């Protein structure tokens, strides 16, 4: 492994605070850490706080990690109810298109993820209700985890951006078996770079959570990393076999995945590492983790839909 989890001249593991810039607790954009297509900004807002940004050549979703907010994009306003934190509920979100002038404001304050991807098409600004986020259980046994398909390729329309949340109970392995998506092979593998943003639940005694992330090179000189990660850390994966993501016992693990690539076809097609692909065949003989799901998405309202209420 390259010293410090580096490939030549570039840092792949960004500890909490190490990627801060201006108003952002984390600011990762194309040109940083080997990224060419996707972005992730983490925006803390105090009560009554307000932030403006230009979407530029990227499409974005504004996703509350904690708290709620109002999002205005080119004169259209969306109220996001948000959630107390990522371990208790699915959140609603807002999609804003490339070229938009965006304002995020929060009466009560909170922490908000701005996940972006360079794109070509300019789609309309939209509200994504929490009840419209499919909650999926993936894996089994000690590989069981929960996936909130916020802006998955087959769930929510975007041009290039893919964003999902993964929750892994303490002691389990996630992103496993190791897999990759760094080559364009039609019908078999997508070329997608990826950002992981972590949050670790504190133990009952209040101890800070910890987890581990492995990325192995899939080509000579590729990304090679073994990192101890904590809340607020990010890992950038422009290439390579990624996984496992290991949650320490007693600490549930959350990560936000942001993906994008250069090809117009927006699909998440992966190739499992050949040494570990057999693991998937064992899941049908195992029970899922009884701790899952940590929570479900809320039911759709019986009256006017949230999409109608927040056009």
């Amino acid at each position: 492994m390259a010293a410090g989890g580096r490939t030549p001249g570039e840092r792949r593991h960004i500890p909490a605070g190490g990627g801060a810039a201006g108003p952002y607790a984390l600011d990762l954009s194309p040109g940083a850490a080997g990224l060419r297509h996707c972005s992730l900004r983490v925006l803390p807002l105090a009560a009554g706080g307000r932030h403006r940004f230009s979407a530029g050549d990227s499409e974005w979703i504004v996703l509350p990690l904690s708290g709620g907010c109002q999002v205005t994009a080119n004169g259209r306003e969306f109220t996001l109810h948000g959630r107390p934190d990522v371990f208790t509920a699915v959140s609603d979100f807002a999609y804003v298109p490339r070229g938009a002038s965006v304002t995020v404001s929060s009466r009560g304050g909170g922490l908000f993820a701005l996940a972006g991807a360079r794109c070509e098409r300019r789609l309309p600004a939209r509200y994504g209700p929490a009840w419209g986020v499919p909650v999926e259980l993936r894996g089994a046994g000690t590989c069981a985890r929960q996936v909130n398909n916020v802006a998955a390729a087959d769930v929510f329309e975007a041009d290039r951006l893919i964003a999902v949340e993964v929750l892994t109970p303490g002691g389990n392995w996630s992103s496993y078996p190791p897999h990759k998506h760094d080559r364009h092979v039609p019908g078999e593998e997508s070329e997608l770079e990826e950002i992981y943003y972590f949050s670790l639940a504190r133990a009952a005694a209040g101890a800070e959570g910890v987890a581990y992330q492995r990325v192995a090179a899939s080509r000579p000189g590729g990304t090679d990393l073994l990192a101890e990660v904590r809340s607020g850390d990010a890992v950038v994966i422009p290439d390579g076999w990624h996984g496992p993501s290991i949650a320490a016992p007693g600490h549930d693990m959350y990560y936000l995945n942001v993906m994008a690539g250069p090809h117009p076809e927006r699909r998440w097609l992966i190739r499992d590492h050949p040494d570990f692909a057999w693991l998937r065949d064992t899941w049908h003989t195992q029970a899922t983790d009884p701790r899952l799901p940590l929570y479900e998405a809320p039911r759709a309202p019986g009256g006017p839909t949230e999409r109608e209420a927040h056009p």
Side-chain angles (χ1 to χ4, degrees):
M1 182 175 68
R6 297 172 183 263
T7 54
E10 294 175 328
R11 183 174 54 163
R12 302 294 192 234
H13 172 215
I14 297 93
Y24 301 117
L26 175 69
D27 186 2
L28 292 173
S29 301
L35 292 170
R36 294 181 298 144
H37 306 286
C38 60
S39 302
L40 178 61
R41 299 169 180 169
V42 177
L43 174 68
L45 285 179
R50 179 184 299 267
H51 173 67
R52 295 182 178 88
F53 72 97
S54 173
D57 64 357
S58 295
E59 59 186 346
W60 300 82
I61 64 168
V62 179
L63 176 67
L65 302 175
S66 64
C69 64
Q70 288 73 44
V71 177
T72 302
N74 289 348
R76 303 189 68 186
E77 185 171 349
F78 309 96
T79 297
L80 305 186
H81 303 289
R83 53 188 163 184
D85 59 67
V86 296
F87 295 103
T88 56
V90 175
S91 181
D92 50 0
F93 62 97
Y95 171 93
V96 296
R98 62 172 289 159
S101 176
V102 186
T103 300
V104 182
S105 59
S106 178
R107 181 176 299 176
L111 188 66
F112 308 96
L114 313 179
R118 283 179 165 168
C119 65
E120 299 297 329
R121 292 188 298 152
R122 192 173 190 275
L123 301 174
R126 280 164 290 144
Y127 174 79
W131 57 259
V133 176
V135 174
E136 171 191 356
L137 299 188
R138 190 175 295 170
T142 55
C143 292
R145 59 270 199 183
Q146 171 179 336
V147 182
N148 299 339
N149 287 295
V150 178
D154 56 349
V155 169
F156 187 85
E157 185 184 12
D159 187 33
R160 300 291 175 86
L161 177 65
I162 298 173
V164 301
E165 301 178 313
V166 180
L167 295 116
T168 307
N172 284 10
W173 287 28
S174 192
S175 281
Y176 202 68
H179 58 278
K180 74 180 185 77
H181 38 73
D182 58 10
R183 293 178 62 231
H184 179 61
V185 182
E188 296 182 16
E189 183 178 351
S190 304
E191 183 181 353
L192 298 168
E193 62 189 22
E194 187 164 13
I195 302 170
Y196 279 53
Y197 174 76
F198 292 88
S199 184
L200 283 300
R202 290 184 176 271
E208 181 184 0
V210 65
Y212 296 87
Q213 176 68 46
R214 176 72 170 119
V215 186
S218 61
R219 59 180 70 137
T223 301
D224 192 358
L225 168 75
L226 175 59
E228 181 175 288
V229 295
R230 299 177 184 274
S231 290
D233 286 15
V235 171
V236 174
I237 306 173
D239 58 85
W241 304 103
H242 42 289
S245 304
I246 305 171
H251 300 279
D252 294 341
M253 172 177 64
Y254 164 95
Y255 52 82
L256 171 63
N257 286 148
V258 182
M259 292 173 271
H263 298 281
E265 184 181 31
R266 180 174 170 256
R267 298 182 70 187
W268 183 67
L269 298 177
I270 66 170
R271 185 184 302 274
D272 284 335
H273 193 293
D275 292 346
F276 303 98
W278 60 271
L279 285 162
R280 289 190 190 274
D281 295 332
T282 69
W283 290 345
H284 73 278
T285 65
Q286 303 176 58
T288 191
D289 192 307
R291 295 172 289 181
L292 292 173
L294 297 185
Y295 49 78
E296 300 270 11
R299 292 185 178 184
T305 68
E306 296 283 354
R307 292 185 188 275
E308 292 167 347
H310 303 274

